[in-house]
Structures are given as C-alpha cells and as structure tokens.
Amino acid sequence: MDDLRPTDPARIGGHRLLGRLGAGGMGVVYLGRTDAGALAAIKVILPEHAGDEEFRTRFRREAEAARRVESPWAVSVTGADTEAERPWLATEFVPGPTLSDVVARRGPLPVRSVTVLGRLLARALASVHAAGLVHRDVKPGNVLLTASGPRLIDFGIARTAGATALTATGIVVGTPGFLPPEQVSGGGAAGPAGSAGDVFSLG
C-alpha cells in the first residue's frame, strides 16, 4: 500500500482513507475504514470519466448489478455513490496475496490445489453472470488467496451483459494473455465480450 498523496481526499462516503492500493485507467483504489472499523477497498473514478454523463449512466447500472453478486468466492459490494462529484464503489477488503504473487514466489500450484481453485472461481463467475455482469478481466492478479478460499476481485472494467463498454470505442480492455479473441478484436463479427469470455480467461 502506498501513502496518500496531497491531492487525495481524506474521506470518501463515510470512509477515512488510509492509503492507496492501486490505480488504473479508470480510477484510483484506496484502502478505507468506516467509523465502525470495517475496512473496504474503494475505487474512485477519475475526473475525466466522472464528467462524462454516458459513463455515469453505465457506471450507475453496473454498480447496481454488482450489488447483486452473492458468492463466498467474490468480494461483496459494501457501498457506492454514483451521483458523487467523483463516483465511487466500495467492496470488502480482503487481506491476502494474489494468485499471481504466490505463483511468482513458489512456482506452479499442485494439481489438486488448481482443481479446487478452478471449481470455486467458476462458482464465483456463475454468481457474477447471474447478476447480469461480465467481469472482463479474470486473471491471477484479480484472485486473492485466503485461508478460507479464493476471492475474485476488481470489477473495475466489469459491465452489464450486452451493454457497450465503459471505455472509448476501439480500446481493448483486459490483460494480454488472458483475453478471449472477441475481446481482443473489440467485438466485431464475434460480438461483444460476454460470459463465455470470462470462462475462456478462467482457463
């Protein structure tokens, strides 16, 4: 976790911000604590996107869909404000290394561990898809490992099934090496990225 910058807010939606967990093309993710003491990962949308009314409309729809995801293997949404000057979405904070970090340090996982991990992540994706969302960035870096099992995280580029992308036309979203063919091509003849693309990325 990195320290907050002078330009970062001190609070977001009832959360006192403790530091930066990461940043991307759509926003900054902060670690925050509620007045009750609960930790949360809070994604705050960048100003250039916050000023786009079409983006806000889609973000609002997708935040509502993300609230419907119910799975012990995916992080849950704990709060959101899609009407704020800079819209934000908060999820439960899960301490633990990512799958990519563990593999980098220890090498490939045992076959039995991979089998269990794949089964639980498939259940997480089933819940995501049942809520009407497509994750679009399933990869080891978006899987946290805990003592009780994996957690699928980062719905930063998720979108409602069948909707157009939140990013500008022609921009490929996702991570090279895990993208399904239709996502690489931006849809086209293959159609928009859908739930099958998430299954492809899961492997």
Side-chain angles (χ1 to χ4, degrees), residues 26-110:
M26 291 179 61
V28 179
V29 182
Y30 299 100
L31 176 63
R33 187 188 301 275
T34 67
D35 293 336
L39 293 174
I42 307 156
K43 170 158 281 189
V44 182
I45 301 303
L46 294 175
E48 53 263 40
H49 296 306
D52 184 334
E53 190 55 40
E54 183 180 2
F55 181 97
R56 278 182 175 270
T57 298
R58 293 171 180 165
F59 182 76
R60 185 182 305 117
R61 182 174 61 239
E62 290 156 20
E64 291 171 355
R67 286 180 180 273
R68 298 196 298 269
V69 176
E70 296 183 0
S71 172
W73 317 119
V75 294
S76 59
V77 173
T78 59
D81 187 350
T82 59
E83 309 305 323
E85 181 178 356
R86 290 183 60 184
W88 57 270
L89 177 74
T91 61
E92 62 176 322
F93 175 71
V94 179
T98 65
L99 174 58
S100 58
D101 287 341
V102 170
V103 171
R105 290 199 308 264
R106 303 180 183 176
L109 300 180

Side-chain angles (χ1 to χ4, degrees), residues 103-117:
V103 171
R105 290 199 308 264
R106 303 180 183 176
L109 300 180
V111 173
R112 184 177 183 279
S113 297
V114 173
T115 301
V116 173
L117 188 63

Side-chain angles (χ1 to χ4, degrees), residues 72-75 92-105 109 113-114 116-125 128 135-156 175 178 198 201-203:
W73 317 119
V75 294
E92 62 176 322
F93 175 71
V94 179
T98 65
L99 174 58
S100 58
D101 287 341
V102 170
V103 171
R105 290 199 308 264
L109 300 180
S113 297
V114 173
V116 173
L117 188 63
R119 182 172 68 248
L120 298 181
L121 290 175
R123 292 177 181 174
L125 281 178
V128 170
H135 189 285
R136 298 200 301 163
D137 199 20
V138 178
K139 61 180 181 180
N142 279 338
V143 176
L144 293 176
L145 299 181
T146 74
S148 59
R151 299 292 188 279
L152 181 64
I153 65 169
D154 196 358
F155 296 93
T175 303
F178 300 95
D198 284 345
S201 299
L202 179 61

